[in-house]
């Protein structure tokens, strides 16, 4: 049973639900006057660029998530564990398939068409896609750097924000072994309501066939091939349908394909040991996840080891290595939920139910209606398989030594190697073979890629306190990063036999092949000074100079400075021991401003590339020649710049029982790296230029409260909420908007606009106003229909009752002319998360919720389920309520207004008819498919029990905990699709909120065990 709660009037519920969930509404009633001050994080350390600082000395905007917070979340990767737990950080997974990726943005990102993913720094070194690569059990802390002071130290790579990950290291003392294991059982959390009654389905098919003039095909499948000229064929059709299908079974494709249980097992073990001189840590993680859909799975193995040692007094070395192997099956054979949902629920008189499910019926149905494009998903997922394998090896080492009492020099390097291979293979039962057995036949593909990156960083640090009040920490650094990648791929066709698959490609034809190689480098100089006076006044100044190989000789270098200041008001003498100090225990005001850069574009775009081709002379091929690319190089390309301002305030109240951090930021991006369309007369099509500007402005709040604290019971709440508003400030000269079309006519298509003066995420299409009803027409004497004066005219032709009606868009306001209008926006007004933590004696309970409010979703899945071909199923919402044009008494189309009123009671609320004109109308992007995507989700509930010390001593354990978790327990939303959490359509900020046949998320039940020896 689904616990997806559909709430149309969603927004009024948000405030009381938040208050109830956070516990803050109980205020001081839960705070004991005799409770001791909670000082556990006064000396908490935050990892920043090339160093770390005490949280109390922090001047920049940083959100932190500890290992304890991550450990409370049994997750496949750190992405899942981090969702909703840091203000300003928005993580949206791309679906529920094993190995599914995610869009990660900080404060809205800093680009329109380029990627908005942040920079990941793991133990001081860059690691792409780190949250998917790093074993979450190995993470000590995650710090999200958001403000200019925090990110400017990374210069060119920091404009989209930075996520700094510190992994666990060995500890001094006795050797400890930690074993963590969980089993997860996944089940489909929601089913879409499709026509499930065979009789209703066949009658729907009859009307579709009659209106589309495809009755021969209908009879072949549903009426035993009865000739259309048989006396009484039409008049008796509905009676024959009732007699034959009233008690016929219907195939539930969602239940058949996704109704099982997906099993996940996760095993993790780590060993920590060390003495005063040397500490070591080693961990191994195995994760195997089977998806709900057959042949979908992910297997991950990860091994990591590190060692830290003090060779001599003041001389320290460290070494860290990681190997990760990942294999993901499925994806290539999955054509989206559309393929499952549109399947016929009965084979009529042509197929029995067993044949309908187990046979590739696509050739039969498509031969009767060429529009039928949904192959049997059960057969296809066996006939077409895919696999993606990747291996990553990372090794980094460093040595540092202290000299002249206050100086530390560190040199460190990393080597990062990655290899991946993707394959697909389709046998004789696949759609690819059946649609083109001669030229395509049994086919497959192979793609290989390999890349490596090395980084060398040298830093010199000065740290000294003068006169007991002046504390100075200065950093100078030099860094070089070089990366290189190469790839090759081939498309293979006409395998004579499927027996050996891709293991033997000698007899296949190479239809396509490609290869490529690229490299880039970054050379940097940087410095930072942290100054603190009497723990009251704090100042941070940073500058970085980056040189990138992606720009031409005259524009390689960029300089990125920042400055930040903070005032710890609560450290002033007038505050100490005052009445207000007993109420407000800590108060810090922060300001920061800085500039960062972005070079997130392809390599060598400052030159025009050449490619080798063949130029026939006298009709004789074999003459090599070089031709220029269609993209014109731009030697004037330069750094994209982000100018960021941040104001922050940190407050601790009631003996540190309530802590609030609030931020206001203003980020302005200028000289954006965008592709510009060139005039045809130039001979080129596009060129990258520095054009346009963008602004992101917002507010963030983080609230941590200890609601109840006693010897046996504790209740604490962590709450964060983020508001971000983007605005396109300018585009290229003379341009007021840019359009980005996503999807296709049959899969659901919408156009996004980036308009000067407006925010990103605007969806454009046509405004749907229901259908033309009988009240819109006059019945003429000859039986024909005429549209009444004042009724909106369609773009072309003469409408009929049941035709889709779109709002007028011409100056007179009387006709629809297919002029695009704004129909929604996919960007949320605010996002956030709430975590309630309870502990009572040995029991612990965590309830985590996340929310998104104010965003629209273009339901392209709903769009693709609109009727466009015979034999396909449709949602019950449509099947129960489409406009009827067929008179069941005659089995023929009726044009009589009075009869149409009888067939369509309350006709103004009905959806469109199955006429041919509507088959075209449904390809238009329409406001009908735009829905409110706001939601409040109970994302995770975990109940655990830690065994008592007496028991642990008896069984020779240091710690033992068992727990039970439910993921994706319930969602309050007005969205009709599988899930309101949808990602950007093309992975960029301009196209958010597009839901197209996404693999549905599951509800999972987890049993876990944590042991420490």
């Amino acid at each position: 049973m689904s616990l997806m709660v559909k709430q149309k009037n969603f927004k009024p519920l948000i405030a009381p639900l938040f208050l109830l969930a956070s516990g803050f509404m109980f205020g001081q009633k839960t705070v004991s006057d005799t409770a001791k001050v909670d000082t556990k994080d006064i000396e908490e350390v935050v990892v920043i660029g090339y160093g770390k600082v005490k949280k109390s000395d922090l001047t920049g905007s940083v959100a932190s998530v500890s290992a304890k917070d991550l450990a409370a979340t049994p997750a496949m990767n750190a992405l899942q564990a981090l969702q909703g737990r840091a203000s300003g950080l928005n993580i949206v997974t791309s679906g529920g398939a094993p190995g599914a990726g995610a869009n990660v943005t900080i404060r809205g990102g800093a680009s329109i068409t380029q990627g908005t993913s942040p920079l990941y720094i793991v133990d001081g070194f860059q690691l792409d896609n780190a949250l998917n690569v790093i074993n979450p059990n190995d993470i000590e802390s995650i710090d999200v750097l958001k403000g200019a002071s925090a990110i400017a130290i990374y210069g060119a790579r920091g404009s989209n924000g930075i996520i700094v990950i510190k992994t666990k290291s060995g500890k001094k003392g006795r050797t400890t072994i930690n074993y963590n294991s969980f089993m997860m059982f996944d089940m489909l959390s929601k089913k879409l309501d499709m026509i499930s009654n065979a009789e209703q389905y066949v009658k729907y098919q009859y009307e579709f066939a009659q209106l589309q003039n495809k009755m021969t095909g209908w009879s072949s499948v549903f009426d035993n091939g009865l000739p259309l000229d048989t006396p009484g064929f039409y008049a008796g059709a509905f009676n024959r349908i009732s007699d034959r299908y009233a008690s016929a079974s219907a195939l539930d494709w969602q239940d058949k394909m996704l109704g099982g249980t997906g099993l996940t097992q996760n095993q993790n073990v780590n060993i920590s040991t060390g003495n005063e001189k040397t500490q070591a840590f080693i961990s191994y993680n195995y994760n195997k996840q089977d998806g709900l859909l057959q042949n979908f799975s992910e297997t991950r193995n990860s091994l990591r080891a590190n060692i830290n040692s003090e060779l001599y007094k003041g001389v320290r070395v460290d070494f860290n290595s990681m190997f990760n192997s990942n294999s993901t099956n499925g994806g290539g054979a999955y054509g989206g939920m559309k393929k499952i949902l549109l399947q016929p629920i009965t084979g009529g008189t042509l197929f029995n139910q067993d044949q309908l499910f187990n046979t590739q019926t696509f050739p039969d149905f498509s031969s009767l209606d060429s529009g039928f494009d949904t192959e049997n998903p059960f057969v296809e997922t066996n006939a077409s398989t895919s696999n993606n394998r990747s291996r990553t090896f990372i090794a980094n080492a460093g040595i540092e030594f202290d000299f002249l009492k206050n100086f530390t020099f560190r040199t460190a390097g990393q080597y990062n190697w990655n290899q991946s291979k993707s394959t697909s293979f389709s046998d004789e039962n696949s759609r690819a073979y059946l649609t083109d057995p001669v030229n395509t036949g049994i086919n497959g593909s192979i793609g290989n890629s390999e890349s490596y990156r090395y980084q060398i960083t040298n830093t010199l640090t000065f740290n000294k306190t003068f006169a007991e009040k002046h504390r100075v920490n200065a950093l100078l650094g030099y860094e070089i990063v070089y990366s290189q990648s190469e790839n090759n791929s081939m498309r293979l066709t006409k395998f004579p036999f499927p027996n050996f698959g891709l293991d033997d490609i000698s007899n296949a034809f190479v239809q396509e092949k490609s290869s490529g190689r690229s490299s880039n480098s970054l050379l940097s100089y940087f410095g930072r000074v942290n100054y603190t006076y009497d723990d009251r006044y704090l100042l941070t100044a940073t500058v970085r100079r980056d040189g990138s190989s992606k720009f031409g000789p005259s524009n390689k270098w960029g300089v990125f400075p920042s400055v930040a200041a903070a005032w710890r008001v609560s450290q002033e003498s007038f505050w100490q021991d005052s009445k207000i100090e007993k109420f407000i225990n800590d108060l810090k005001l922060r300001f920061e401003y800085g500039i960062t850069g972005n070079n997130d574009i392809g390599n060598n775009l400052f030159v025009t590339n050449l490619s080798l081709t063949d130029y026939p002379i006298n009709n004789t091929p074999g003459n090599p020649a070089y031709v220029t690319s269609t993209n014109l190089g731009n030697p004037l390309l330069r750094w994209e710049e982000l100018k960021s301002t941040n104001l922050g305030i940190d407050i601790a109240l009631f003996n540190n029982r309530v802590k609030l951090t609030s931020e206001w930021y203003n980020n302005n991006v200028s000289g954006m790296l965008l592709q510009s369309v060139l005039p045809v007369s130039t001979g080129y099509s596009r060129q990258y230029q520095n054009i346009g500007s963008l602004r992101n402005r917002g507010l963030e709040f983080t609230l941590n409260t200890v609601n109840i604290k006693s010897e046996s019971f504790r209740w604490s709440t962590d709450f964060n909420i983020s508001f971000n508003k983007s605005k396109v400030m300018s585009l290229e000269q003379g341009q007021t908007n840019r359009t980005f079309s996503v999807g296709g006519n049959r899969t659901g298509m919408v156009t996004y606009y980036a308009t000067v003066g407006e925010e990103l995420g605007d969806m454009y299409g046509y405004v749907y106003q229901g259908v033309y009803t009988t009240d819109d027409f006059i019945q003429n004497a000859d039986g024909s229909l005429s549209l009444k004066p004042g009724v909106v005219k369609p773009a072309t032709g003469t409408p009929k009752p049941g035709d889709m009606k779109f709002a007028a868009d011409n100056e007179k306001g009387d006709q629809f002319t297919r002029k695009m209008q704004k129909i929604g926006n996919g960007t949320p007004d605010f996002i956030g998360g709430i975590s309630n933590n309870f502990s009572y004696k040995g029991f612990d309970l965590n309830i985590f919720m996340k929310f998104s409010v104010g965003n629209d979703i273009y339901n392209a899945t709903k769009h693709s389920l609109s009727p466009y071909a015979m034999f396909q199923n449709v949602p019950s919402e449509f099947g129960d309520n489409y406009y009827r044009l067929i008179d069941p008494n005659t089995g023929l189309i009726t044009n009589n207004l009075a009869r149409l009123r009888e067939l369509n009671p309350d006709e103004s609320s009905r959806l469109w008819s199955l006429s041919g004109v509507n088959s075209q109308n449904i390809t238009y992007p329409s406001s009908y498919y735009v829905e409110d995507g706001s939601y409040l989700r109970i994302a995770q509930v975990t109940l655990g029990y830690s065994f008592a010390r007496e028991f642990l001593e008896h069984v020779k354990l240091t710690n033992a905990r068992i727990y039970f978790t439910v993921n994706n327990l319930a969602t309050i939303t007005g969205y009709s699709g599988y899930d309101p959490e949808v990602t950007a359509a093309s992975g960029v900020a301009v196209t958010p909120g597009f839901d197209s046949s996404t693999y549905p998320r599951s509800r999972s039940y987890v049993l876990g065990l944590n042991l420490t020896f």
Side-chain angles (χ1 to χ4, degrees), residues 188-206:
L188 187 63
S189 61
K190 179 184 179 181
K191 290 173 62 177
L192 295 191
D193 191 11
M194 307 294 290
I195 291 180
S196 57
N197 179 274
E199 180 182 1
Q200 179 190 8
Y201 168 78
V202 177
K203 287 180 177 179
Y204 159 82
Q205 292 293 330
Y206 179 92

Side-chain angles (χ1 to χ4, degrees), residues 891-943:
L892 300 174
I893 302 170
T894 179
N895 204 33
N896 183 275
L897 294 181
R899 182 56 177 152
L900 288 173
R901 291 190 192 98
E902 293 177 5
L903 295 174
N904 298 282
D906 195 18
E907 58 180 318
S908 61
S909 66
R910 289 190 171 266
L911 298 176
W912 55 91
S913 73
L914 300 173
S915 67
V917 67
N918 284 332
S919 293
Q920 178 61 36
N921 287 339
I922 62 174
T923 65
Y924 301 153
S926 163
S927 62
Y928 173 77
Y929 304 109
V930 177
E931 303 183 39
D932 182 7
S934 303
Y935 70 87
L936 172 65
R937 167 172 288 157
I938 304 176
Q940 189 172 78
V941 177
T942 297
L943 176 63

Side-chain angles (χ1 to χ4, degrees), residues 602-642:
N603 299 322
N604 303 316
L605 293 175
F606 61 91
V607 295
T608 303
N609 292 325
L610 298 176
S611 59
L612 181 65
T613 187
D614 182 79
Y615 187 81
I617 299 177
N618 295 326
N619 294 322
T620 303
N623 303 284
Y626 287 94
V627 296
T628 58
S629 157
T630 58
N631 295 325
L632 178 64
N634 183 1
L636 300 179
L637 273 182
R638 56 180 172 79
W639 294 92
E640 182 178 287
E641 284 191 346
L642 168 68

Side-chain angles (χ1 to χ4, degrees), residues 50-51 122-125 307-309 316-320 396-403 407-414 456-461 475-478 526:
Y50 308 98
V122 180
D123 295 329
F125 297 95
I307 186 169
N308 302 280
S309 181
R316 297 169 295 277
V317 297
D318 55 85
F319 176 78
N320 197 333
N396 51 269
I399 181 170
E400 63 182 27
F401 55 90
D402 306 326
F403 65 99
F407 289 88
T408 299
F409 176 77
R410 175 176 173 81
T411 182
Q414 183 193 71
I456 299 173
T457 304
N458 296 298
T459 58
L460 177 65
T461 304
L475 171 77
L476 289 176
Y478 163 83
F526 53 89

Side-chain angles (χ1 to χ4, degrees), residues 15-28:
L17 282 169
F18 287 169
L19 290 172
L20 180 61
S22 70
F24 188 61
M25 65 182 293
F26 295 102
Q28 290 302 293

Side-chain angles (χ1 to χ4, degrees), residues 144-164:
V144 183
L145 312 186
K146 301 177 289 184
S149 175
I151 64 179
I153 192 66
Y154 288 101
R157 300 173 291 166
S159 61
N160 283 319
I162 300 166
I163 295 179
V164 179

Side-chain angles (χ1 to χ4, degrees), residues 83-161:
Q83 275 188 305
R85 298 182 187 272
S87 64
L89 176 65
N90 191 20
I91 300 175
V92 183
T93 54
S94 58
N103 271 9
V104 183
T105 55
I106 297 175
R107 292 182 169 179
S111 184
I112 289 182
T113 60
Q114 303 306 110
T116 56
S117 295
L119 172 69
Y120 297 97
I121 300 295
V122 180
D123 295 329
F125 297 95
Q126 180 177 343
L127 176 60
D128 297 336
N129 200 24
L131 292 176
N132 253 334
V133 175
I134 295 293
N135 172 14
N137 296 280
D138 288 346
I139 296 175
E140 183 71 33
S141 65
I142 297 178
D143 295 295
V144 183
L145 312 186
K146 301 177 289 184
S149 175
I151 64 179
I153 192 66
Y154 288 101
R157 300 173 291 166
S159 61
N160 283 319

Side-chain angles (χ1 to χ4, degrees), residues 56 70 73-74 211-212 382 577 617 662 684 852 876:
S56 58
L70 296 173
T73 307
L211 293 170
Q212 302 282 339
N382 287 295
D577 299 322
I617 299 177
S662 60
Y684 298 93
S852 176
S876 296

